[in-house]
Amino acid sequence: MTTVCTLAWVHGLVQGVGFRYSTQREALKLGLTGYARNMDDGSVEVLACGDAPQVEKLVAWLKAGGPRSARVDKVLTEPHQPDRQWTDFSIRY
């Protein structure tokens, strides 16, 4: 399998509701690496790297609304070529 990376920006009520932690838990369950971090505009940026079907599952989970406490209005994604190798899925500050 080929490793792919996708950058996603999740907009809506996604900060202060445990969104990054839920995303980390979901990503680790899917065997992905990367990170989730809050952005200044109130969105959450997610970088997910791994097998293409697993990355697609995480993106689908994000688009479906993530954790129950969140409200996702839109998810923008684009392919990404990271400048480094990720070894785990972290929460960045």
Side-chain angles (χ1 to χ4, degrees), residues 3-9 34-35 37 45-50 55 77-84 86 92:
T3 296
V4 300
C5 293
T6 296
L7 254 179
W9 294 273
Y35 64 82
R37 71 174 168 177
E45 179 182 82
V46 177
L47 172 66
C49 299
V55 171
T77 62
E78 70 179 35
H80 183 67
Q81 291 297 323
D83 53 4
R84 60 172 278 202
W86 298 94
R92 292 178 61 186

Side-chain angles (χ1 to χ4, degrees), residues 18-64:
F19 196 90
R20 291 174 300 159
Y21 298 96
S22 296
T23 301
Q24 179 187 46
R25 188 170 51 249
E26 195 68 21
L28 292 173
K29 215 165 42 171
L30 293 169
L32 302 177
T33 61
Y35 64 82
R37 71 174 168 177
N38 285 343
M39 303 301 286
D40 291 340
D41 66 358
S43 67
V44 171
E45 179 182 82
V46 177
L47 172 66
C49 299
D51 293 337
Q54 300 303 86
V55 171
E56 289 169 19
K57 284 180 186 175
L58 183 66
V59 170
W61 180 84
L62 294 170
K63 288 180 177 179

